[in-house]
Amino acid sequence: MSLGLTYDGCNFFRQRLVLSTLSGKRVKIRNIRSKDDNPGLRDFEASFIRLLDKVTNGTRIEINQTGTVLFYQPGLLYGGVVEHECNTQRSVGYYLEALLMLAPFMKNPLKAVLKGVTNDPTDPSVDQLKYTSIPVMKRFGIDGEGLELKVVKRGMAPGGGGEVLFTCPVRKTLRPIQLSEPGKIKRIRGIAYSVRVSPQMANRIVDSARSILNKFIPDIYIYTDHMKGDKSGKSPGFGLTLVAETLNGTFLSAEQVSTPQGQGDPVLPEDLGRNCAKLLLEEIYRGGCIDSANQSLALVYMTLGQQDVSKVLLGHLSPYTIEFLRHMRDFFQMMFKIETQKPAEDERKGGDKVLMTCVGAGYTNISKSIK
């Protein structure tokens, strides 16, 4: 048995458990909020551990009395049909991001039904993952009939009541990628959603977002999505997810969600639309071939690819991604070659870029059932 790794604190909790599950190295996390008035694991973290337990077989988890120490010994990724009630403190995106990393390496194709909050201000929404993460997965050769992410019911924070279906095929190995040219933006798509408020809200969001984006590009289409009845969850709210697509098939996204009921000042749909449009322009300025929400997903797939060189051009590395790279080194001894690229003044290519290069670890799915 490989020697485990030990960490301190509750930060980057998902990263550690996901990489532990993929690498098969056990992990011990100490001092989880030990100085807090309410020490130990939060409910949403316990729920995350339960989800990992459902998709694996033979995982051993030990938590001490106060919940400040967690010992996690990963089992085999099993997959199959899973239904999970996500904690409403965090959105379904929090749980889904981890599943996206694990899904291709399961023994059986994953079919997961996650219930809870589909859109909240802190985590990436299901819509954003659908429009940006799924194309990233396709780049690595995870595609076909079985790959789908669908919002069955919408649930806004804080009440939740949403439902998401995620299915993913399994792959023996992943394709290496070379993505160094993001290309120019050719169109902008988006979805403005509203639940348990006037359907007019979505139209107001669209108008205000277009007022900014129309100055740059004519090909803009923002769908409005107003779910009614039992599909609308338990809380009122509205939001907007925007996606810019480039000529080379890169997707950059931004999103904004209304303030959850009873958690602060209400937000006007006009302001929300404008802010979201500005966030999208900021994301386009950062640029790269993978948007900032999916940097770590792409890096995992590159690490676990065949023993071949993968290259990807990213925008500014987010602090989360930087920490992720450190964890990669711990779990997989994987080091990336990082080169910064400064676009010339007259090129108008946005901010500084980072070219990440690595040789895959030659990770293969060990399950027999794959043809």
Side-chain angles (χ1 to χ4, degrees), residues 304-354:
L304 300 177
Q306 302 163 18
Q307 285 178 325
D308 205 342
V309 179
S310 278
K311 269 184 195 173
V312 67
L313 187 73
L314 300 176
H316 192 70
L317 292 181
S318 65
Y320 187 81
T321 309
I322 291 167
E323 201 56 46
F324 198 87
L325 289 166
R326 290 183 185 136
H327 282 119
M328 285 288 217
R329 192 186 55 202
D330 293 350
F331 284 99
F332 287 102
Q333 287 76 53
M334 174 58 68
M335 307 278 269
F336 281 80
K337 181 175 163 203
I338 302 175
E339 300 162 79
T340 44
Q341 295 187 352
K342 276 195 188 320
E345 289 293 308
D346 53 348
E347 267 193 322
R348 297 177 70 178
K349 288 237 179 118
D352 295 353
K353 308 283 187 285
V354 185

Short mmCIF file of all heavy atoms in Angstrom, two decimals, residues 304-354:
data_model
loop_
_atom_site.label_atom_id
_atom_site.label_comp_id
_atom_site.label_asym_id
_atom_site.label_seq_id
_atom_site.Cartn_x
_atom_site.Cartn_y
_atom_site.Cartn_z
N LEU A 304 -3.63 12.70 -16.84
CA LEU A 304 -4.02 11.30 -16.90
C LEU A 304 -4.08 10.76 -18.32
O LEU A 304 -4.60 9.69 -18.56
CB LEU A 304 -5.39 11.13 -16.23
CG LEU A 304 -5.44 11.55 -14.77
CD1 LEU A 304 -6.84 11.42 -14.23
CD2 LEU A 304 -4.48 10.75 -13.94
N GLY A 305 -3.54 11.53 -19.27
CA GLY A 305 -3.61 11.10 -20.66
C GLY A 305 -2.59 10.02 -20.96
O GLY A 305 -1.89 9.52 -20.07
N GLN A 306 -2.48 9.65 -22.24
CA GLN A 306 -1.48 8.68 -22.65
C GLN A 306 -0.10 9.32 -22.49
O GLN A 306 0.01 10.52 -22.33
CB GLN A 306 -1.70 8.30 -24.12
CG GLN A 306 -3.07 7.73 -24.38
CD GLN A 306 -3.41 7.73 -25.86
OE1 GLN A 306 -2.56 7.84 -26.70
NE2 GLN A 306 -4.69 7.61 -26.15
N GLN A 307 0.94 8.48 -22.59
CA GLN A 307 2.29 9.03 -22.41
C GLN A 307 2.69 9.78 -23.66
O GLN A 307 3.47 9.31 -24.48
CB GLN A 307 3.27 7.90 -22.09
CG GLN A 307 3.09 7.44 -20.66
CD GLN A 307 4.00 6.29 -20.32
OE1 GLN A 307 4.28 5.45 -21.15
NE2 GLN A 307 4.48 6.25 -19.10
N ASP A 308 2.14 10.95 -23.77
CA ASP A 308 2.36 11.76 -24.95
C ASP A 308 2.28 13.22 -24.51
O ASP A 308 1.71 13.53 -23.46
CB ASP A 308 1.26 11.46 -25.98
CG ASP A 308 1.73 11.76 -27.39
OD1 ASP A 308 2.73 12.50 -27.50
OD2 ASP A 308 1.10 11.30 -28.35
N VAL A 309 2.83 14.11 -25.33
CA VAL A 309 2.87 15.51 -24.91
C VAL A 309 1.52 16.18 -25.12
O VAL A 309 0.90 16.05 -26.17
CB VAL A 309 3.95 16.26 -25.72
CG1 VAL A 309 3.99 17.73 -25.31
CG2 VAL A 309 5.30 15.63 -25.50
N SER A 310 1.05 16.87 -24.09
CA SER A 310 -0.15 17.69 -24.21
C SER A 310 0.24 19.14 -23.96
O SER A 310 1.03 19.44 -23.08
CB SER A 310 -1.18 17.29 -23.16
OG SER A 310 -1.89 16.17 -23.58
N LYS A 311 -0.37 20.02 -24.77
CA LYS A 311 -0.09 21.45 -24.60
C LYS A 311 -1.40 22.18 -24.53
O LYS A 311 -2.32 21.87 -25.29
CB LYS A 311 0.64 22.00 -25.82
CG LYS A 311 2.12 21.95 -25.73
CD LYS A 311 2.71 22.62 -26.96
CE LYS A 311 4.18 22.24 -27.05
NZ LYS A 311 4.82 22.68 -28.24
N VAL A 312 -1.51 23.17 -23.65
CA VAL A 312 -2.72 23.99 -23.66
C VAL A 312 -2.36 25.42 -23.28
O VAL A 312 -1.51 25.64 -22.42
CB VAL A 312 -3.81 23.39 -22.73
CG1 VAL A 312 -3.40 23.46 -21.28
CG2 VAL A 312 -5.13 24.08 -22.93
N LEU A 313 -2.97 26.36 -23.97
CA LEU A 313 -2.74 27.77 -23.67
C LEU A 313 -3.87 28.24 -22.76
O LEU A 313 -5.04 28.15 -23.12
CB LEU A 313 -2.74 28.58 -24.97
CG LEU A 313 -2.35 30.05 -24.81
CD1 LEU A 313 -0.87 30.18 -24.57
CD2 LEU A 313 -2.74 30.84 -26.06
N LEU A 314 -3.50 28.72 -21.58
CA LEU A 314 -4.51 29.19 -20.63
C LEU A 314 -4.36 30.68 -20.43
O LEU A 314 -3.30 31.25 -20.68
CB LEU A 314 -4.34 28.49 -19.28
CG LEU A 314 -4.46 26.96 -19.26
CD1 LEU A 314 -4.17 26.44 -17.87
CD2 LEU A 314 -5.83 26.53 -19.70
N GLY A 315 -5.44 31.29 -19.96
CA GLY A 315 -5.34 32.69 -19.57
C GLY A 315 -4.63 32.74 -18.22
O GLY A 315 -3.92 31.82 -17.84
N HIS A 316 -4.87 33.78 -17.47
CA HIS A 316 -4.27 33.94 -16.15
C HIS A 316 -4.67 32.76 -15.27
O HIS A 316 -5.83 32.40 -15.20
CB HIS A 316 -4.80 35.24 -15.56
CG HIS A 316 -4.06 35.66 -14.35
ND1 HIS A 316 -2.78 36.12 -14.40
CD2 HIS A 316 -4.41 35.65 -13.04
CE1 HIS A 316 -2.37 36.40 -13.17
NE2 HIS A 316 -3.34 36.12 -12.34
N LEU A 317 -3.71 32.12 -14.61
CA LEU A 317 -4.03 30.97 -13.75
C LEU A 317 -4.75 31.46 -12.48
O LEU A 317 -4.27 32.36 -11.81
CB LEU A 317 -2.75 30.23 -13.33
CG LEU A 317 -1.99 29.48 -14.42
CD1 LEU A 317 -0.77 28.80 -13.83
CD2 LEU A 317 -2.86 28.45 -15.11
N SER A 318 -5.88 30.82 -12.18
CA SER A 318 -6.59 31.22 -10.96
C SER A 318 -5.88 30.62 -9.75
O SER A 318 -5.19 29.61 -9.87
CB SER A 318 -8.03 30.73 -11.02
OG SER A 318 -8.05 29.31 -11.00
N PRO A 319 -6.04 31.23 -8.57
CA PRO A 319 -5.39 30.70 -7.36
C PRO A 319 -5.76 29.25 -7.12
O PRO A 319 -4.94 28.45 -6.65
CB PRO A 319 -5.94 31.59 -6.24
CG PRO A 319 -6.39 32.83 -6.90
CD PRO A 319 -6.78 32.48 -8.30
N TYR A 320 -7.00 28.89 -7.46
CA TYR A 320 -7.47 27.51 -7.29
C TYR A 320 -6.65 26.56 -8.15
O TYR A 320 -6.25 25.49 -7.72
CB TYR A 320 -8.96 27.46 -7.69
CG TYR A 320 -9.64 26.14 -7.40
CD1 TYR A 320 -10.11 25.86 -6.12
CD2 TYR A 320 -9.85 25.19 -8.39
CE1 TYR A 320 -10.75 24.66 -5.84
CE2 TYR A 320 -10.48 24.00 -8.12
CZ TYR A 320 -10.95 23.74 -6.85
OH TYR A 320 -11.57 22.55 -6.57
N THR A 321 -6.38 26.99 -9.39
CA THR A 321 -5.61 26.16 -10.32
C THR A 321 -4.17 26.00 -9.84
O THR A 321 -3.57 24.93 -9.94
CB THR A 321 -5.59 26.79 -11.73
OG1 THR A 321 -6.93 27.08 -12.10
CG2 THR A 321 -4.99 25.86 -12.74
N ILE A 322 -3.62 27.09 -9.29
CA ILE A 322 -2.23 27.05 -8.81
C ILE A 322 -2.10 26.03 -7.69
O ILE A 322 -1.18 25.21 -7.67
CB ILE A 322 -1.79 28.46 -8.34
CG1 ILE A 322 -1.70 29.39 -9.56
CG2 ILE A 322 -0.47 28.40 -7.60
CD1 ILE A 322 -1.60 30.85 -9.24
N GLU A 323 -3.06 26.05 -6.78
CA GLU A 323 -3.05 25.08 -5.68
C GLU A 323 -3.24 23.67 -6.24
O GLU A 323 -2.66 22.70 -5.75
CB GLU A 323 -4.17 25.43 -4.70
CG GLU A 323 -4.00 24.87 -3.32
CD GLU A 323 -2.69 25.26 -2.66
OE1 GLU A 323 -2.32 26.44 -2.72
OE2 GLU A 323 -2.04 24.37 -2.11
N PHE A 324 -4.04 23.58 -7.29
CA PHE A 324 -4.31 22.28 -7.92
C PHE A 324 -3.02 21.69 -8.49
O PHE A 324 -2.76 20.49 -8.37
CB PHE A 324 -5.33 22.48 -9.04
CG PHE A 324 -6.00 21.21 -9.46
CD1 PHE A 324 -7.13 20.77 -8.80
CD2 PHE A 324 -5.49 20.44 -10.48
CE1 PHE A 324 -7.74 19.59 -9.16
CE2 PHE A 324 -6.09 19.26 -10.85
CZ PHE A 324 -7.23 18.84 -10.18
N LEU A 325 -2.20 22.55 -9.10
CA LEU A 325 -0.94 22.08 -9.66
C LEU A 325 -0.02 21.53 -8.56
O LEU A 325 0.70 20.57 -8.75
CB LEU A 325 -0.23 23.23 -10.40
CG LEU A 325 -0.90 23.63 -11.72
CD1 LEU A 325 -0.37 24.96 -12.21
CD2 LEU A 325 -0.69 22.56 -12.78
N ARG A 326 -0.08 22.17 -7.38
CA ARG A 326 0.74 21.67 -6.26
C ARG A 326 0.26 20.30 -5.82
O ARG A 326 1.05 19.41 -5.52
CB ARG A 326 0.64 22.65 -5.08
CG ARG A 326 1.34 23.94 -5.38
CD ARG A 326 1.32 24.90 -4.22
NE ARG A 326 1.92 26.15 -4.65
CZ ARG A 326 1.43 27.36 -4.36
NH1 ARG A 326 0.35 27.47 -3.63
NH2 ARG A 326 2.03 28.43 -4.80
N HIS A 327 -1.07 20.13 -5.80
CA HIS A 327 -1.61 18.83 -5.41
C HIS A 327 -1.27 17.76 -6.45
O HIS A 327 -1.04 16.61 -6.11
CB HIS A 327 -3.12 18.92 -5.23
CG HIS A 327 -3.52 19.55 -3.93
ND1 HIS A 327 -4.25 20.71 -3.86
CD2 HIS A 327 -3.27 19.19 -2.66
CE1 HIS A 327 -4.42 21.04 -2.58
NE2 HIS A 327 -3.84 20.12 -1.84
N MET A 328 -1.26 18.15 -7.73
CA MET A 328 -0.89 17.22 -8.80
C MET A 328 0.50 16.68 -8.57
O MET A 328 0.78 15.51 -8.78
CB MET A 328 -0.87 17.95 -10.14
CG MET A 328 -2.21 18.23 -10.66
SD MET A 328 -2.94 16.72 -11.20
CE MET A 328 -3.77 17.33 -12.59
N ARG A 329 1.38 17.59 -8.12
CA ARG A 329 2.76 17.18 -7.88
C ARG A 329 2.80 16.18 -6.71
O ARG A 329 3.54 15.21 -6.74
CB ARG A 329 3.60 18.41 -7.56
CG ARG A 329 5.09 18.16 -7.56
CD ARG A 329 5.82 19.39 -7.10
NE ARG A 329 5.31 19.80 -5.78
CZ ARG A 329 5.43 21.03 -5.30
NH1 ARG A 329 5.97 21.97 -6.03
NH2 ARG A 329 4.97 21.34 -4.11
N ASP A 330 1.97 16.41 -5.70
CA ASP A 330 1.94 15.51 -4.55
C ASP A 330 1.43 14.12 -4.93
O ASP A 330 2.00 13.11 -4.56
CB ASP A 330 1.03 16.06 -3.44
CG ASP A 330 1.59 17.33 -2.83
OD1 ASP A 330 2.75 17.66 -3.14
OD2 ASP A 330 0.87 17.99 -2.07
N PHE A 331 0.31 14.10 -5.66
CA PHE A 331 -0.37 12.82 -5.90
C PHE A 331 0.20 12.06 -7.10
O PHE A 331 0.28 10.85 -7.09
CB PHE A 331 -1.87 13.04 -6.12
CG PHE A 331 -2.62 13.32 -4.85
CD1 PHE A 331 -2.93 14.61 -4.48
CD2 PHE A 331 -3.02 12.28 -4.03
CE1 PHE A 331 -3.62 14.86 -3.31
CE2 PHE A 331 -3.72 12.51 -2.87
CZ PHE A 331 -4.02 13.81 -2.51
N PHE A 332 0.57 12.79 -8.16
CA PHE A 332 0.99 12.11 -9.39
C PHE A 332 2.45 12.39 -9.77
O PHE A 332 2.90 11.96 -10.82
CB PHE A 332 0.09 12.55 -10.56
CG PHE A 332 -1.28 11.96 -10.52
CD1 PHE A 332 -2.35 12.73 -10.09
CD2 PHE A 332 -1.51 10.65 -10.89
CE1 PHE A 332 -3.64 12.19 -10.05
CE2 PHE A 332 -2.79 10.11 -10.86
CZ PHE A 332 -3.84 10.88 -10.43
N GLN A 333 3.16 13.16 -8.90
CA GLN A 333 4.53 13.59 -9.23
C GLN A 333 4.57 14.22 -10.62
O GLN A 333 5.51 14.05 -11.39
CB GLN A 333 5.54 12.40 -9.21
CG GLN A 333 5.87 11.91 -7.82
CD GLN A 333 4.75 11.09 -7.22
OE1 GLN A 333 4.29 10.15 -7.83
NE2 GLN A 333 4.29 11.44 -6.04
N MET A 334 3.52 14.93 -10.96
CA MET A 334 3.41 15.51 -12.29
C MET A 334 3.81 16.98 -12.25
O MET A 334 3.25 17.74 -11.47
CB MET A 334 1.96 15.36 -12.78
CG MET A 334 1.68 16.03 -14.09
SD MET A 334 2.71 15.47 -15.42
CE MET A 334 2.14 13.81 -15.64
N MET A 335 4.80 17.33 -13.06
CA MET A 335 5.21 18.73 -13.13
C MET A 335 4.90 19.25 -14.53
O MET A 335 5.16 18.57 -15.52
CB MET A 335 6.71 18.87 -12.88
CG MET A 335 7.16 18.22 -11.60
SD MET A 335 6.90 19.25 -10.18
CE MET A 335 8.44 20.10 -10.12
N PHE A 336 4.35 20.44 -14.58
CA PHE A 336 4.06 21.06 -15.88
C PHE A 336 5.17 22.05 -16.24
O PHE A 336 5.76 22.67 -15.36
CB PHE A 336 2.74 21.83 -15.81
CG PHE A 336 1.53 20.97 -15.89
CD1 PHE A 336 1.07 20.27 -14.79
CD2 PHE A 336 0.84 20.84 -17.08
CE1 PHE A 336 -0.05 19.46 -14.87
CE2 PHE A 336 -0.27 20.04 -17.18
CZ PHE A 336 -0.72 19.35 -16.07
N LYS A 337 5.43 22.16 -17.53
CA LYS A 337 6.33 23.21 -17.99
C LYS A 337 5.45 24.43 -18.22
O LYS A 337 4.46 24.35 -18.96
CB LYS A 337 7.01 22.76 -19.28
CG LYS A 337 7.99 23.76 -19.84
CD LYS A 337 8.69 23.16 -21.05
CE LYS A 337 9.35 24.25 -21.87
NZ LYS A 337 9.55 23.82 -23.25
N ILE A 338 5.79 25.53 -17.60
CA ILE A 338 4.92 26.71 -17.66
C ILE A 338 5.68 27.85 -18.34
O ILE A 338 6.72 28.28 -17.85
CB ILE A 338 4.50 27.13 -16.23
CG1 ILE A 338 3.78 25.96 -15.55
CG2 ILE A 338 3.62 28.35 -16.27
CD1 ILE A 338 3.42 26.21 -14.11
N GLU A 339 5.15 28.30 -19.48
CA GLU A 339 5.79 29.43 -20.17
C GLU A 339 4.79 30.57 -20.28
O GLU A 339 3.67 30.37 -20.70
CB GLU A 339 6.20 29.03 -21.59
CG GLU A 339 7.17 27.88 -21.67
CD GLU A 339 7.20 27.27 -23.06
OE1 GLU A 339 7.85 27.86 -23.94
OE2 GLU A 339 6.55 26.22 -23.26
N THR A 340 5.21 31.75 -19.89
CA THR A 340 4.30 32.89 -20.04
C THR A 340 4.47 33.51 -21.42
O THR A 340 5.58 33.58 -21.94
CB THR A 340 4.57 33.98 -18.97
OG1 THR A 340 5.98 34.15 -18.88
CG2 THR A 340 4.02 33.58 -17.64
N GLN A 341 3.35 33.94 -21.98
CA GLN A 341 3.39 34.60 -23.28
C GLN A 341 2.74 35.97 -23.16
O GLN A 341 1.60 36.06 -22.72
CB GLN A 341 2.60 33.77 -24.30
CG GLN A 341 3.21 32.43 -24.59
CD GLN A 341 2.48 31.73 -25.73
OE1 GLN A 341 1.45 32.20 -26.20
NE2 GLN A 341 3.02 30.62 -26.18
N LYS A 342 3.48 36.98 -23.53
CA LYS A 342 2.91 38.33 -23.51
C LYS A 342 2.50 38.69 -24.93
O LYS A 342 3.35 38.72 -25.82
CB LYS A 342 3.94 39.33 -23.01
CG LYS A 342 4.04 39.42 -21.50
CD LYS A 342 4.80 40.68 -21.14
CE LYS A 342 5.14 40.80 -19.67
NZ LYS A 342 4.15 40.40 -18.73
N PRO A 343 1.21 38.95 -25.15
CA PRO A 343 0.81 39.37 -26.49
C PRO A 343 1.41 40.75 -26.80
O PRO A 343 1.57 41.57 -25.89
CB PRO A 343 -0.71 39.47 -26.42
CG PRO A 343 -1.11 38.86 -25.13
CD PRO A 343 0.07 38.90 -24.24
N ALA A 344 1.77 41.00 -28.06
CA ALA A 344 2.32 42.30 -28.45
C ALA A 344 1.26 43.38 -28.26
O ALA A 344 0.06 43.11 -28.31
CB ALA A 344 2.77 42.25 -29.90
N GLU A 345 1.72 44.61 -28.04
CA GLU A 345 0.81 45.73 -27.77
C GLU A 345 -0.26 45.88 -28.86
O GLU A 345 -1.42 46.10 -28.58
CB GLU A 345 1.62 47.03 -27.71
CG GLU A 345 2.49 47.15 -26.47
CD GLU A 345 1.67 47.29 -25.21
OE1 GLU A 345 0.80 48.16 -25.18
OE2 GLU A 345 1.89 46.52 -24.25
N ASP A 346 0.17 45.76 -30.13
CA ASP A 346 -0.75 46.05 -31.23
C ASP A 346 -1.62 44.85 -31.62
O ASP A 346 -2.44 44.96 -32.51
CB ASP A 346 0.06 46.52 -32.45
CG ASP A 346 1.16 45.52 -32.80
OD1 ASP A 346 1.43 44.63 -31.97
OD2 ASP A 346 1.75 45.64 -33.90
N GLU A 347 -1.44 43.71 -30.95
CA GLU A 347 -2.15 42.51 -31.38
C GLU A 347 -3.59 42.44 -30.88
O GLU A 347 -4.41 41.72 -31.42
CB GLU A 347 -1.40 41.25 -30.91
CG GLU A 347 -0.45 40.73 -31.97
CD GLU A 347 0.04 39.33 -31.61
OE1 GLU A 347 0.27 39.07 -30.42
OE2 GLU A 347 0.16 38.51 -32.52
N ARG A 348 -3.86 43.13 -29.81
CA ARG A 348 -5.19 43.11 -29.18
C ARG A 348 -5.64 41.67 -28.88
O ARG A 348 -6.71 41.24 -29.29
CB ARG A 348 -6.22 43.78 -30.10
CG ARG A 348 -5.88 45.24 -30.32
CD ARG A 348 -6.81 45.91 -31.25
NE ARG A 348 -8.13 46.08 -30.67
CZ ARG A 348 -9.13 46.67 -31.29
NH1 ARG A 348 -8.97 47.12 -32.50
NH2 ARG A 348 -10.31 46.79 -30.71
N LYS A 349 -4.78 40.94 -28.19
CA LYS A 349 -5.12 39.57 -27.85
C LYS A 349 -5.39 39.41 -26.35
O LYS A 349 -5.29 38.32 -25.80
CB LYS A 349 -3.99 38.62 -28.25
CG LYS A 349 -3.86 38.42 -29.75
CD LYS A 349 -3.96 36.94 -30.12
CE LYS A 349 -3.86 36.73 -31.61
NZ LYS A 349 -2.71 35.93 -32.00
N GLY A 350 -5.64 40.52 -25.66
CA GLY A 350 -5.99 40.40 -24.25
C GLY A 350 -4.80 40.31 -23.34
O GLY A 350 -3.70 40.77 -23.66
N GLY A 351 -5.01 39.70 -22.17
CA GLY A 351 -3.99 39.66 -21.12
C GLY A 351 -2.90 38.65 -21.39
O GLY A 351 -2.88 37.97 -22.41
N ASP A 352 -1.98 38.54 -20.42
CA ASP A 352 -0.89 37.57 -20.54
C ASP A 352 -1.43 36.15 -20.52
O ASP A 352 -2.36 35.83 -19.80
CB ASP A 352 0.08 37.74 -19.35
CG ASP A 352 0.76 39.10 -19.40
OD1 ASP A 352 0.57 39.80 -20.40
OD2 ASP A 352 1.47 39.44 -18.43
N LYS A 353 -0.80 35.30 -21.30
CA LYS A 353 -1.22 33.90 -21.39
C LYS A 353 -0.15 32.98 -20.82
O LYS A 353 1.00 33.36 -20.70
CB LYS A 353 -1.47 33.50 -22.86
CG LYS A 353 -2.40 34.43 -23.62
CD LYS A 353 -3.84 34.17 -23.24
CE LYS A 353 -4.78 34.98 -24.11
NZ LYS A 353 -4.81 36.38 -23.78
N VAL A 354 -0.57 31.77 -20.49
CA VAL A 354 0.36 30.79 -19.96
C VAL A 354 0.25 29.52 -20.80
O VAL A 354 -0.85 28.99 -20.97
CB VAL A 354 0.01 30.44 -18.50
CG1 VAL A 354 1.05 29.51 -17.91
CG2 VAL A 354 -0.13 31.68 -17.67
#
